[in-house]
């Protein structure tokens, strides 16, 4: 009987999921949630269903519910931190509710770095999420660590990101210093900086100097 019961439950679960997919395809997200939420309650570890729930809430503009569910999903599986940049969340990413998602991301990335402190990509993500939370001093600290990396591409990117953060804060001296250092190690960043709105005021101030000359001098080294 136990085997037949499990088969029956799996069949019902598959049927409900298929019905939810049809509702999503037709744009009836409320009806889709009515099918999906009982499935998630029955199996909180079903990440496919969990993501469908989060995306449905986001599409409906329910920032609190979407953010809470996404934060839970990231805590359950740290690999899901990449979902933060999913286009589904564009409309809610700037809301106060989304802070819970960034906080979950910071927690799981920090834990991962304890085992692998040299993971530069994870550290860049950590700095990015601290920026989103307004923890700019912590973000500057992470970029400072990355600027000491053996890999020139990591160092130049860290200097660029630190310069960008300083520019948005209006800290001209540090922004100019970091940007010049970034360009000296990666001349192509001069082009990126000139098209980056975050540097508009900095470049207009003349504090960095002539970008083309900086890039040319760096390429001659």
């Amino acid at each position: 009987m136990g085997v037949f019961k499990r088969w029956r439950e799996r069949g019902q679960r598959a049927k409900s999921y298929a019905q939810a997919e049809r509702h999503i395809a037709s744009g009836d997200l409320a009806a889709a949630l009515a099918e999906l939420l009982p499935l998630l309650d029955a199996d909180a570890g079903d990440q496919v269903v969990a993501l469908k729930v989060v995306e449905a809430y986001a599409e409906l503009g329910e920032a609190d519910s979407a953010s809470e569910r996404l934060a839970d999903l990231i805590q359950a599986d740290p690999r899901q931190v990449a979902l933060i940049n999913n286009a589904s969340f564009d409309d809610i990413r700037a809301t106060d509710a989304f802070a819970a998602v960034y906080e979950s991301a910071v927690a799981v990335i920090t834990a991962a770095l304890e085992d692998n402190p040299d993971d530069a990509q994870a550290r860049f993500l950590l700095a990015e999420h601290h920026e989103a939370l307004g923890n700019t001093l912590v973000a500057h600290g992470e970029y400072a660590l990355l600027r000491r990396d053996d890999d020139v591409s990591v160092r130049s990117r860290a200097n660029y990101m630190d310069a960008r953060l300083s520019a948005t804060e209006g800290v001209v001296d540090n922004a100019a210093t970091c940007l010049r250092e970034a360009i000296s190690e990666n001349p192509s960043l001069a082009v990126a900086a000139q098209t980056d709105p975050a540097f508009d005021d900095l470049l207009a101030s003349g504090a960095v100097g002539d970008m083309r000359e900086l890039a040319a001098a760096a390429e001659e080294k």
Side-chain angles (χ1 to χ4, degrees):
M1 288 295 294
V3 172
F4 289 116
K5 182 179 180 182
R6 286 196 295 273
W7 283 350
R8 191 164 55 247
E9 288 175 347
R10 288 173 185 168
Q12 183 58 49
R13 188 174 182 86
K15 182 179 178 181
S16 295
Y17 185 81
Q19 184 62 29
E21 288 279 70
R22 286 191 286 272
H23 286 311
I24 290 171
S26 68
D28 192 348
L29 298 178
L33 282 170
E35 297 285 351
L36 293 169
L37 287 172
L39 299 182
L40 193 56
D41 290 340
D43 182 5
D46 191 329
Q47 294 176 5
V48 174
V49 172
L51 180 56
K52 291 288 184 182
V53 168
V54 172
E55 290 177 336
Y57 275 131
E59 290 292 329
L60 288 169
E62 297 187 24
D64 288 342
S65 295
S67 299
E68 180 182 356
R69 296 280 183 168
L70 182 54
D72 290 343
L73 183 56
I74 290 171
Q75 288 173 354
D77 180 5
R79 293 171 299 179
Q80 303 298 335
V81 72
L83 289 172
I84 287 179
N85 293 322
N86 189 307
S88 299
F89 311 122
D90 286 351
D91 292 338
I92 66 171
R93 201 175 288 115
T95 64
D96 291 340
F98 210 77
V101 178
Y102 288 121
E103 288 166 356
S104 289
V106 164
V108 299
I109 295 171
T110 299
L113 282 169
E114 289 178 0
D115 295 327
N116 188 11
D118 295 328
D119 186 339
Q121 295 310 310
R123 199 168 294 282
F124 273 118
L125 271 180
L126 182 61
E128 176 186 333
H129 298 327
H130 273 303
E131 281 194 48
L133 287 168
N135 302 332
T136 56
L137 286 176
V138 180
H140 281 302
E142 297 299 335
Y143 291 135
L145 289 174
L146 289 161
R147 289 202 304 271
R148 298 201 292 268
D149 198 277
D150 292 336
D151 188 334
V152 65
S153 65
V154 171
R155 293 198 306 271
S156 60
R157 180 183 171 192
N159 270 302
Y160 184 91
M161 296 305 295
D162 207 353
R164 196 175 193 278
L165 178 55
S166 292
T168 60
E169 294 174 308
V171 184
V172 174
D173 290 345
N174 191 63
T177 298
C178 289
L179 185 56
R180 281 194 294 268
E181 186 63 29
I183 293 169
S184 74
E185 293 196 312
N186 183 355
S188 67
L189 290 176
V191 176
Q194 287 174 305
T195 59
D196 190 335
F199 291 120
D200 284 351
D201 291 343
L202 177 67
L203 298 182
S205 74
V208 182
D210 188 285
M211 301 290 281
R212 287 171 298 183
E213 289 181 3
L214 283 172
E219 288 173 346
E220 289 175 0
K221 290 181 179 179

